[in-house]
Amino acid sequence: MSSISVPPPKCLQKPLTVPYRHMFGPGPSNVPSRILEAGVNPVIGHMHPEIFEIMNDIKSGIQYMFQTQNKMTLAVSGTGHSAMECAIFNAVEPGDSVLVAVNGIWGERAAEMAERIGARVNTIVAPPGGCFTIEEMEKALSKHRPVLLFVAHGESSTGVLHPLDGIGQLCHKYNCLFLVDSVASIGGAPVYMDQQGALKNPARCFHGFCS
């Protein structure tokens, strides 16, 4: 066997030093010390019973955060993009009509994802910093009759917090799912999934995700 021709890099032979920065954007953000301390706990296998208990605790926390009693609540290990793709790819079939409320890059990104799987994507577009009225939402829903409506609750590219009240009732009326991107808003602004979804069965209409 020949000798190693590429020596170990010197940069990996010294301790890693990460500077502390104050981060005030929607993400990444500073991590509380109690969460950092949790990271030093022992690693256990993903099929150990303690992991299932931890995941159930996380599920309860998510239900509290979204104010929902929906048992179909789960954590996706990934970024906000992962959650967006997971939600869209599991709710939309090729050829389905999808309506996306675009008032920033996240609405644009959702439209692109739906188009990639063959959905018939229609958009309503607001200028940067704008949002949509209930009347505008209903007009678009009545026209396009989508199986899914996407709204970015916290549009971080423009700094807009989009109102959610009343949209769930419209989705009921036009029989479509309501997908809400709350990556940049959850924890800073309240989301009442069951109430704003206006459902006896919340899983039928209101799907929210965060990172």
Side-chain angles (χ1 to χ4, degrees), residues 66-97:
F66 280 97
Q67 287 297 287
T68 180
Q69 297 180 30
N70 185 356
K71 294 182 179 180
M72 186 51 69
T73 305
L74 52 91
V76 176
S77 179
T79 63
H81 270 107
S82 300
M84 185 184 289
E85 288 197 344
C86 178
I88 293 174
F89 279 47
N90 283 281
V92 177
E93 297 285 345
D96 283 348
S97 174

Side-chain angles (χ1 to χ4, degrees), residues 44-57:
I44 57 177
H46 64 283
M47 296 301 290
H48 286 153
E50 293 84 359
I51 283 290
F52 293 102
E53 183 178 349
I54 291 170
M55 292 305 294
N56 282 332
D57 291 346

Side-chain angles (χ1 to χ4, degrees), residues 25-140:
S29 57
N30 295 112
V31 180
S33 58
R34 66 183 183 87
I35 296 177
L36 293 174
E37 291 166 2
V40 303
N41 284 324
V43 175
I44 57 177
H46 64 283
M47 296 301 290
H48 286 153
E50 293 84 359
I51 283 290
F52 293 102
E53 183 178 349
I54 291 170
M55 292 305 294
N56 282 332
D57 291 346
I58 293 172
K59 175 180 175 179
S60 297
I62 295 173
Q63 290 171 325
Y64 165 72
M65 186 167 59
F66 280 97
Q67 287 297 287
T68 180
Q69 297 180 30
N70 185 356
K71 294 182 179 180
M72 186 51 69
T73 305
L74 52 91
V76 176
S77 179
T79 63
H81 270 107
S82 300
M84 185 184 289
E85 288 197 344
C86 178
I88 293 174
F89 279 47
N90 283 281
V92 177
E93 297 285 345
D96 283 348
S97 174
V98 172
L99 178 62
V100 180
V102 178
N103 62 339
I105 64 170
W106 301 113
E108 294 174 353
R109 198 68 52 84
E112 291 171 0
M113 290 181 184
E115 286 174 347
R116 286 204 307 269
I117 61 173
R120 294 181 291 109
V121 179
N122 295 285
T123 61
I124 49 175
V125 181
C131 56
F132 303 93
T133 65
I134 288 294
E135 291 74 21
E136 289 171 326
M137 290 281 193
E138 180 159 22
K139 182 179 179 181

Side-chain angles (χ1 to χ4, degrees), residues 3-13:
S3 60
I4 297 175
S5 58
V6 179
K10 292 183 178 180
C11 61
L12 298 183
Q13 296 177 16

Side-chain angles (χ1 to χ4, degrees), residues 132-135 137 151 153 161-171 178 180 190-198 206:
F132 303 93
T133 65
I134 288 294
E135 291 74 21
M137 290 281 193
V151 174
H153 183 220
L161 182 71
H162 199 291
L164 298 178
D165 290 344
I167 303 177
Q169 286 90 334
L170 288 180
C171 290
F178 184 19
V180 176
V191 173
Y192 304 103
M193 181 175 284
D194 291 0
Q195 179 182 332
Q196 291 169 322
F206 193 126

Side-chain angles (χ1 to χ4, degrees), residues 140-200:
L141 287 167
S142 176
K143 178 180 179 180
H144 300 296
R145 300 285 173 163
V147 300
L148 181 140
L149 167 65
F150 175 95
V151 174
H153 183 220
E155 178 50 78
S156 59
S157 69
T158 58
V160 170
L161 182 71
H162 199 291
L164 298 178
D165 290 344
I167 303 177
Q169 286 90 334
L170 288 180
C171 290
H172 262 301
K173 181 177 179 180
Y174 293 96
N175 193 32
C176 74
L177 297 171
F178 184 19
L179 178 59
V180 176
D181 175 356
S182 59
V183 170
S185 57
I186 198 73
V191 173
Y192 304 103
M193 181 175 284
D194 291 0
Q195 179 182 332
Q196 291 169 322
L199 287 175
K200 294 180 180 179

